[in-house]
Amino acid sequence: MKDLLRTHTSLQEGIEKLLNLQSKIENDASSKYLAMASWLDRNGFENTAGYMYKQAEEERTHFLKVFKYITEIGGIAITPVVAEVKQEFSSFKEVFEIALQNEIAVTHAVNKIIAKCRLENDYATEEFMMWYVKEQREEEINARRALELFDLIDEDSASGKFELDKQIAKIGSVEA
Ligand code: FEO
């Protein structure tokens, strides 16, 4: 049955697995940002929470984009199981340290697919994944910019918290 299906698609099985993994990673990223938005909201960082809600929505579109691509090219898109995500953070800054780590991990996963595409001569999927390369570059820049703001503004004072919340939300609006 599996062999028969393979005759109807140029999608190599190893690449299909990696694409399904990417779909799960993007879906998890959406859940992680949603948990961050909730933490930020309940800790008084309303503007930054808005930024994270937007990130969560963006990740949902990244997830659907890869999910639909798998189907379009004749593969089997597997609906990802929702992962447990971190709900509590020790500080405002930690949220962004984790966000940056997560984005770097996503970039590595994207690169892994492209490396595999080159090995298997799957230029269609490589071209498709290039959109993610560009997206990841922007997302890493944004996460790093937020962390730079923590170096410039004192997180421990009330006015610093207020200013950080304002400035980080601007990164979101520039991106939009
Ligand atoms: Fe779509 Fe930020 O990973």
Side-chain angles (χ1 to χ4, degrees):
M1 180 68 177
K2 195 79 182 169
D3 286 346
L4 190 64
L5 282 173
R6 288 283 142 206
T7 63
H8 294 292
T9 178
S10 57
L11 187 59
Q12 195 261 349
E13 206 168 347
I15 294 177
E16 183 180 8
K17 272 195 190 130
L18 286 179
L19 288 171
N20 270 309
L21 178 62
Q22 193 65 31
S23 142
K24 177 169 171 45
I25 288 170
E26 301 288 354
N27 200 43
D28 286 349
S30 180
S31 301
K32 286 173 187 172
Y33 278 130
L34 201 57
M36 287 173 180
S38 169
W39 185 91
L40 290 162
D41 231 347
R42 66 182 181 267
N43 282 281
F45 305 109
E46 238 177 66
N47 297 316
T48 313
Y51 169 81
M52 285 301 182
Y53 281 121
K54 193 173 132 288
Q55 290 297 113
E57 279 178 30
E58 273 191 22
E59 297 299 351
R60 169 90 184 157
T61 65
H62 298 178
F63 151 62
L64 283 173
K65 194 177 169 77
V66 68
F67 190 83
K68 288 178 183 167
Y69 175 78
I70 297 167
T71 308
E72 272 167 23
I73 202 158
I76 299 171
I78 313 283
T79 306
V81 174
V82 181
E84 283 283 333
V85 296
K86 185 174 165 67
Q87 306 286 342
E88 292 297 333
F89 301 90
S90 60
S91 67
F92 192 6
K93 187 179 180 182
E94 195 204 22
V95 171
F96 284 91
E97 286 168 343
I98 292 173
L100 178 59
Q101 282 166 17
N102 288 344
E103 290 299 348
I104 290 171
V106 174
T107 302
H108 286 317
V110 167
N111 290 342
K112 198 172 164 185
I113 298 175
I114 292 167
K116 179 79 173 159
C117 286
R118 290 188 177 173
L119 210 63
E120 303 291 345
N121 298 331
D122 184 348
Y123 304 116
T125 304
E126 179 179 334
E127 195 216 10
F128 170 77
M129 289 308 297
M130 283 304 170
W131 182 88
Y132 287 83
V133 171
K134 188 166 173 277
E135 191 66 22
Q136 280 313 117
R137 198 172 64 216
E138 283 169 15
E139 295 204 333
E140 279 192 36
I141 288 170
N142 287 345
R144 263 193 290 275
R145 175 65 190 142
L147 283 176
E148 278 167 16
L149 289 170
F150 282 93
D151 290 338
L152 297 169
I153 304 166
D154 177 20
E155 186 193 354
D156 293 328
S157 71
S159 63
K161 279 190 176 75
F162 180 78
E163 192 59 23
L164 277 165
D165 186 40
K166 224 168 60 180
Q167 294 300 330
I168 291 170
K170 274 191 204 164
I171 301 174
S173 62
V174 167
E175 191 197 24

